[in-house]
Amino acid sequence: MSSSILFRGGRVLTPGGFAEAVLVRDGVIAAVGAESDLVRLSPGAEPVDLRGGLLTPGFVDAHIHPVQAGLERAACDLAEIYGLDEYLARIASFAAAHPEKTWISGGGWDMAAFPGGLPHRTQLDFLDRPAYLIQRDHHAAWVNTRALELAGITKDTPDPADGRIERDPDGTPSGVLHEGAMDLVGLLTPRPTAADVEAALLEAQQYLFALGVTGWQDAIVGSYAGSDDQLPAYLSAASSGRLKARVVGALWWDRARGAEQIPELLERRARAEGLDRFRATSVKIMQDGIAENFTAAVIEPYCRCGGTGLSYVDPELLKGYVKELDAHGFQVHFHAIGERAVREALDALTGTSPQNRHHIAHLQIVTPQDVPRFAALGVTANLQTLWATHHAQMDELCIPYLGEERSAWQYPFADLVRHGTRLAAGSDWPVTSADPLQAVHVAVNRTEPGSSVHASYPTAQTPFLPGQSIDLRTALTAYTAGSAWLNRSPAGVIEEGRPADLVVLDRDPFALDPTDIWTTGVRMTFVDGECVADNTAR
């Protein structure tokens, strides 16, 4: 590409509406406006024909796990298939192809593929090696009998404070480890080398570029659920110039410790100072688990099974921790699924500085009383919109246990918008697809995209709480300007003086029937005016 590029031949998504063309010089947006005007301004500029498509800002994923995704793609990857038979065939094939591996590791299995959401150790006992396979949501692991034996886990092993060992009726561990119990086996698996981790990061970066993602916030930078710390890989890739995306790392808050870890977080943040593409300015606090295994923190007990889930950090202590993090200028990035966890996060953020751009991710269940508090406190709602559909995990493992009233509080995107809440958006990849356009489709339609593994589920095309859908521009803005603002990125908006982080879509989704948004694809992706992905060459 030359130092000047002229994007023309389609529409351009701008904050105020649409333009016809964009001129880029030396990696910066130089002009936005009418095509005829920009043609006169840019003799010799290299043209990029939009072919009737839409030019958008680069997508910024506000909650994602790219290193884990890259490692899983290189391991026994179950993410793109569904059902026990397909899982077992993939596992057997992987084991046969890799006789040198002492463990069968990987992940991506879906709880909804199993009765009650629970696989069993005996289903993996055909293997001649221990197995450790992380669930799609990364909140549980499926292991075989050999792995349990190596870990010394028996019917007498107590549950850890932040997790649960699933058990057969006689108390024998059944082969599913929830939350903190995952580490009982996960830490025994072979460790990837530093080169493996950095290669996974760079492979994930290229995959994300192909989907139009030019920046992200890594939602866990630290040791968690059997994964090693990713900070060294980010520091290495950023220092060498191989990390081209604009990235913020959310440093992991060890929920077994307290404020004594804050000096360590400050030291970890300082290690990234001065880097152009990576900053470690956020802290991730996981306040609860997920509804499907009843570890999401709820106010009233779950229907049928009782219990109110787990608050991983004592809510009263949490207030002090967040106040101290805020005073040190950290952004706090909360995981909160259940309505009690959301309330505890909001309570902890009360009185903090909006300038630190705190945010709460997931927001599966929010009471109507708590919805207005986001805007009032200046807290950003970080949406993972792909989850807001009818699929087996929702209809069979969530709604029956949440009850009618609480089920109606799920993913209240439109209510948040009506109250003036600032939105960001992310995928939680590899939990769900990293494709922003699939997520935008769900935000608008509240139905499964046609490309989804759940698209054939009987009610997949029945809108899920359709009154909570948001319009296309709002959804795209959340995934671009909203997430970029959250990361303090200079990109995310197409206007003069901004970095030319741009995406060429193969069609204009505003011209489509909303039910067809998911058919939109990415043709080209640019970072600082450099083409980092050209899908037309495939």
Side-chain angles (χ1 to χ4, degrees):
M1 287 285 178
S2 69
S3 61
S4 295
I5 310 169
L6 179 62
F7 296 88
R8 55 186 291 191
R11 289 205 295 180
V12 177
L13 184 65
T14 66
F18 297 96
E20 294 179 342
V22 170
L23 176 62
V24 171
R25 288 198 181 109
D26 299 321
V28 176
I29 297 172
V32 182
E35 182 175 328
S36 57
D37 292 340
L38 268 58
V39 167
R40 288 195 299 273
L41 284 173
S42 57
E46 182 167 349
V48 173
D49 186 355
L50 301 180
R51 302 180 192 171
L54 182 70
L55 185 72
T56 74
F59 296 109
V60 180
D61 193 311
H63 185 104
I64 190 171
H65 307 279
V67 177
Q68 290 94 326
L71 289 169
E72 285 182 17
R73 284 163 63 86
C76 186
D77 186 8
L78 308 177
E80 300 300 324
I81 57 177
Y82 182 82
L84 178 60
D85 290 345
E86 290 194 53
Y87 294 155
L88 294 182
R90 176 69 58 84
I91 293 165
S93 174
F94 182 86
H98 296 281
E100 78 286 357
K101 292 189 178 293
T102 57
W103 283 71
I104 301 302
S105 301
W109 56 273
D110 194 316
M111 291 181 71
F114 300 92
L118 298 171
H120 199 270
R121 57 185 166 78
T122 56
Q123 293 162 327
L124 296 175
D125 282 348
F126 70 92
L127 294 167
D128 60 353
R129 286 158 274 177
Y132 178 81
L133 299 165
I134 297 173
Q135 178 241 3
R136 186 191 70 175
D137 289 353
H138 283 222
H139 289 268
W142 178 20
V143 301
N144 61 3
T145 302
R146 180 64 181 139
L148 291 168
E149 291 172 347
L150 287 173
I153 300 173
T154 70
K155 64 173 60 178
D156 298 319
T157 303
D159 290 341
D162 62 346
R164 185 173 80 247
I165 301 168
E166 201 67 45
R167 302 174 192 269
D168 290 333
D170 67 353
T172 301
S174 67
V176 175
L177 306 172
H178 298 286
E179 305 294 343
M182 296 167 67
D183 279 349
L184 299 177
V185 171
L187 294 177
L188 301 179
T189 61
R191 301 292 87 195
T193 66
D196 292 336
V197 176
E198 189 166 350
L201 168 61
L202 297 176
E203 193 277 337
Q205 174 179 248
Q206 197 54 48
Y207 179 79
L208 293 169
F209 282 162
L211 294 173
V213 177
T214 58
W216 61 80
Q217 184 160 147
D218 190 314
I220 297 179
V221 175
S223 299
Y224 165 72
S227 297
D228 294 333
D229 184 16
Q230 307 90 344
L231 184 60
Y234 275 115
L235 298 178
S236 175
S239 298
S240 67
R242 287 176 291 177
L243 183 67
K244 296 182 179 181
R246 304 178 200 277
V247 179
V248 167
L251 301 174
W252 176 243
W253 178 269
D254 185 344
R255 57 205 186 198
R257 302 172 64 199
E260 72 276 7
Q261 66 189 289
I262 291 178
E264 298 166 26
L265 295 171
L266 289 166
E267 186 276 330
R268 284 164 65 76
R269 180 173 70 179
R271 290 170 64 188
E273 288 178 1
L275 295 176
D276 179 45
R277 296 289 152 155
F278 178 77
R279 292 175 296 112
T281 50
S282 189
V283 172
K284 168 68 174 296
I285 299 178
M286 185 178 288
Q287 186 57 10
D288 69 344
I290 59 174
E292 291 84 353
N293 66 10
F294 319 123
T295 57
V298 295
I299 296 172
E300 297 296 330
Y302 286 98
C303 304
R304 301 186 183 181
C305 65
T308 57
L310 299 174
S311 293
Y312 289 134
V313 183
D314 180 280
E316 290 305 312
L317 296 174
L318 181 66
K319 295 174 184 177
Y321 302 155
V322 169
K323 181 178 180 181
E324 189 169 349
L325 291 169
D326 181 68
H328 283 293
F330 277 112
Q331 174 191 84
V332 180
H333 178 159
F334 271 106
H335 162 118
I337 293 281
E339 74 273 17
R340 189 178 84 234
V342 172
R343 182 169 294 176
E344 290 166 354
L346 289 168
D347 288 348
L349 291 169
T350 299
T352 58
S353 173
Q355 294 181 353
N356 288 328
R357 308 187 184 188
H358 306 303
H359 52 121
I360 305 176
H362 307 326
L363 305 173
Q364 180 169 347
I365 313 167
V366 186
T367 68
Q369 302 95 305
D370 284 326
V371 168
R373 298 180 67 194
F374 285 82
L377 296 173
V379 174
T380 297
N382 186 338
L383 310 181
Q384 283 62 63
T385 65
L386 277 166
W387 305 353
T389 69
H390 282 290
H391 51 275
Q393 196 159 311
M394 172 61 71
D395 289 1
E396 299 168 22
L397 300 178
C398 281
I399 291 175
Y401 296 92
L402 296 178
E404 183 176 353
E405 180 182 33
R406 191 161 42 196
S407 293
W409 299 342
Q410 294 186 86
Y411 305 115
F413 305 156
D415 286 349
L416 289 163
V417 170
R418 280 190 284 268
H419 284 280
T421 307
R422 186 185 290 272
L423 303 183
S427 65
D428 210 9
W429 185 58
V431 173
T432 38
S433 169
D435 188 341
L437 293 162
Q438 306 300 300
V440 167
H441 174 97
V442 174
V444 173
N445 293 282
R446 306 281 289 203
T447 60
E448 284 288 323
S451 60
S452 166
V453 296
H454 305 293
S456 61
Y457 184 69
T459 56
Q461 300 311 314
T462 300
F464 176 71
L465 301 174
Q468 296 297 344
S469 65
I470 57 180
D471 65 82
L472 177 56
R473 179 175 282 272
T474 299
L476 284 170
T477 300
Y479 230 120
T480 53
S483 296
W485 180 88
L486 199 67
N487 272 6
R488 299 184 185 272
S489 168
V493 178
I494 298 179
E495 62 184 13
E496 292 181 18
R498 300 272 191 165
D501 292 7
L502 303 168
V503 176
V504 179
L505 302 184
D506 63 2
R507 64 202 69 191
D508 184 345
F510 288 93
L512 300 176
D513 185 294
T515 61
D516 292 328
I517 291 171
W518 69 273
T519 65
T520 307
V522 170
R523 283 182 49 224
M524 303 175 77
T525 304
F526 295 80
V527 173
D528 287 329
E530 175 192 354
C531 183
V532 293
D534 185 353
N535 295 330
T536 63
R538 295 182 178 180

